[in-house]
Amino acid sequence: MKIKKGFLLCPVMGKTMAISTGELEKEFPGMIKMNETSTDIWKWIEAGKEREEIHRLYAETYDIEAAQAQEEVDGVIRQMEEAGILE
C-alpha cells in the first residue's frame, strides 16, 4: 500500500491538505482537508509502514485499545482507497 504518485501533504492556512499535482491534477482536482490522525496515517503509509504496524503506532500515539485503533485506521485507509489516493 502506498500513496499514489502526485499527491502531496501541504499546510494551508494552519490546516493540512492533501493536494494533487502534475498530471494527477486532471484526474483529481481540488484538495482534501486532513485532520491530525489522518495526517499521521498518511505519513506512516508514505514511510512504507505495513497496515499492522500502522495499527500499533496509532494505538500507541493516541493511547487507545488495539481494536479501536484497527477500526479507525482501517476506516481512514478505506476512505483513502475510495478517493483514489492509494495504489
Side-chain angles (χ1 to χ4, degrees):
M1 160 178 68
K2 66 181 194 174
I3 305 294
K4 188 181 284 186
K5 185 177 179 179
F7 278 107
L8 299 173
L9 284 183
C10 298
V12 177
M13 298 180 68
K15 304 287 183 190
T16 301
M17 306 295 269
I19 62 166
S20 57
T21 62
E23 289 296 313
L24 186 60
E25 200 170 14
K26 294 175 187 171
E27 178 185 328
F28 191 95
M31 298 183 275
I32 300 171
K33 183 179 171 185
M34 308 288 284
N35 62 21
E36 181 181 352
T37 57
S38 62
T39 299
D40 284 341
I41 293 168
W42 179 294
K43 289 177 180 178
W44 292 325
I45 292 170
E46 278 189 324
K49 307 291 185 199
E50 296 294 327
R51 188 180 295 238
E52 293 76 23
E53 188 173 3
I54 294 171
H55 292 157
R56 183 185 57 74
L57 289 166
Y58 190 90
E60 290 173 3
T61 300
Y62 295 98
D63 193 27
I64 60 174
E65 296 294 323
Q68 181 181 351
Q70 182 176 346
E71 182 179 326
E72 291 180 16
V73 167
D74 289 349
V76 170
I77 289 173
R78 188 171 33 261
Q79 289 175 337
M80 293 171 83
E81 288 170 338
E82 290 170 359
I85 293 170
L86 300 178
E87 57 179 337

